[in-house]
Amino acid sequence: MSTDPPQAPRVSREEFDALFASVRTWGRWPAADRGAWNRVTPDHVRRAAALVRDGTVVPLGLPWNTLPGPDNTKPALHYMSDLGDVEPSEPATHKDFLAVDYHGKAVSHLDALSHVAYRGQLYEGHPAREVIGAGGARFGSVAALGPLVTKGVLLDLPAVLGADWLEPGHAVRARDVIDAERSLGVGIDDGCAVLVRSGRFRRRRERGPWDVDAASAGLHVDALPLLAARGISLLGADGDSDVRPSPVEGLHSPVHALAVTAMGVPLLDNLDLEALSAACAQAGRYEFMIVVTPLNVPGGTGSPVNPAALL
């Protein structure tokens, strides 16, 4: 593996559609709104709990970002609505207001199954225009997911390479995932959550922000059949999992379409994986318990979230 962005092979729409069909899990689970989270059973939770040895808790969410920038074109809102001068004086209360257009590149969030449609269809083939309207989603809502507790695996690609980060545009291939498993001593298996670190936020701190919609490290679509075969329940990254520019003609986010729409795998976008990378290196292991608790928003296409990894 090289730290320079390798030339990602181009993929035609015909090739992509064949790939989409090969990883599709439609019709597999009665609780279709939960997609691949159906894979996680009480046995998976117990096995994940057994990975907690040191008691280290690592939050994975970014700070609430109210500052505009090339990677934050719709800043979150935060202002005080009560400075102790609105309600009766004793005891004084202090209140604030939060709002965010979170599907972007600046807020750690979960993508539910209603977030992505391909060729007009959501997961399970639901026509997007029929089940999503001004009131929200009637299929694939984040409220249907509930919390997730399972085994997490960190694919720390800069650690594998002995680098600080992957340069924007670096496409992570299936063979790179296998190399990372071998190097880090981890195994991606049924029901687990896979987190992919490119070192985005270390690069941002040292080099400054850039337009990650134009160029970012992430997965090439040829990695998705491997993850589908392993039976993952969740995919997350310090980007949004897609390499950019996209290698698929006419598709800006092909990994989103494969994971969410074909496989029923929710995505975690914009995680801060720097502290987790350090904690895993110190512990000498890259497997842990992960806890994801999205907001209970009926009709929501996702949710801001601050997951936690427990080692």
Side-chain angles (χ1 to χ4, degrees):
M1 294 173 66
S2 168
T3 55
D4 295 326
Q7 291 295 318
R10 301 295 298 172
V11 177
S12 70
R13 285 294 287 273
E14 292 76 15
E15 291 170 321
F16 179 83
D17 284 346
L19 191 59
F20 187 97
S22 73
V23 301
R24 192 168 54 193
T25 61
W26 296 4
R28 182 168 299 185
W29 298 291
D33 282 44
R34 303 189 71 243
W37 284 20
N38 284 286
R39 289 192 167 106
V40 179
T41 67
D43 283 342
H44 288 91
V45 177
R46 285 189 288 269
R47 287 197 292 268
L51 296 171
V52 181
R53 304 170 194 168
D54 307 326
T56 302
V57 179
V58 184
L60 307 178
L62 293 170
W64 197 250
N65 193 342
T66 61
L67 299 177
D71 54 355
N72 190 15
T73 58
K74 297 178 180 179
L77 299 178
H78 177 216
Y79 62 80
M80 298 302 297
S81 57
D82 186 348
L83 294 174
D85 56 355
V86 175
E87 295 186 344
S89 59
E90 294 295 348
T93 59
H94 309 95
K95 302 175 185 177
D96 50 357
F97 172 90
L98 297 172
V100 66
D101 189 346
Y102 60 88
H103 283 301
K105 302 300 188 292
V107 176
S108 301
H109 67 270
L110 179 78
D111 292 341
L113 301 190
S114 55
H115 176 52
V116 182
Y118 180 59
R119 296 196 181 277
Q121 294 181 314
L122 300 176
Y123 183 66
E124 288 283 295
H126 290 276
R129 290 192 175 183
E130 293 182 10
V131 298
I132 299 179
R138 297 189 299 278
F139 173 84
S141 165
V142 69
L145 290 173
L148 181 76
V149 178
T150 192
K151 168 187 167 181
V153 168
L154 177 66
L155 298 182
D156 195 338
L157 297 171
V160 172
L161 293 171
D164 294 331
W165 55 73
L166 303 185
E167 286 295 337
H170 189 128
V172 178
R173 310 287 303 281
R175 63 175 178 264
D176 300 327
V177 172
I178 294 172
D179 288 345
E181 285 184 288
R182 184 181 305 114
S183 176
L184 300 172
V186 298
I188 299 171
D189 51 24
D190 181 69
C192 82
V194 176
L195 307 182
V196 181
R197 176 178 175 259
S198 70
R200 170 192 170 189
F201 290 104
R202 177 167 180 179
R203 187 184 193 278
R204 189 184 192 278
R205 284 196 293 269
E206 296 189 18
R207 297 282 182 87
W210 73 97
D211 181 2
V212 291
D213 276 323
S216 58
L219 294 174
H220 188 276
V221 292
D222 76 3
L224 271 294
L226 172 65
L227 300 179
R230 300 291 182 85
I232 67 169
S233 63
L234 177 67
L235 178 61
D238 50 8
D240 67 358
S241 292
D242 267 287
V243 64
R244 301 184 191 281
S246 167
V248 181
E249 59 184 43
L251 286 181
H252 61 83
S253 301
V255 168
H256 275 63
L258 292 176
V260 177
T261 315
M263 296 163 56
V265 172
L267 296 179
L268 284 173
D269 293 348
N270 311 317
L271 300 177
D272 188 343
L273 299 176
E274 297 306 299
L276 180 60
S277 172
C280 286
Q282 182 174 0
R285 52 193 174 95
Y286 288 79
E287 297 179 336
F288 42 85
M289 182 169 79
I290 185 169
V291 179
V292 184
T293 53
L295 298 176
N296 185 359
V297 183
T301 63
S303 165
V305 69
N306 183 19
L310 292 82
L311 286 83

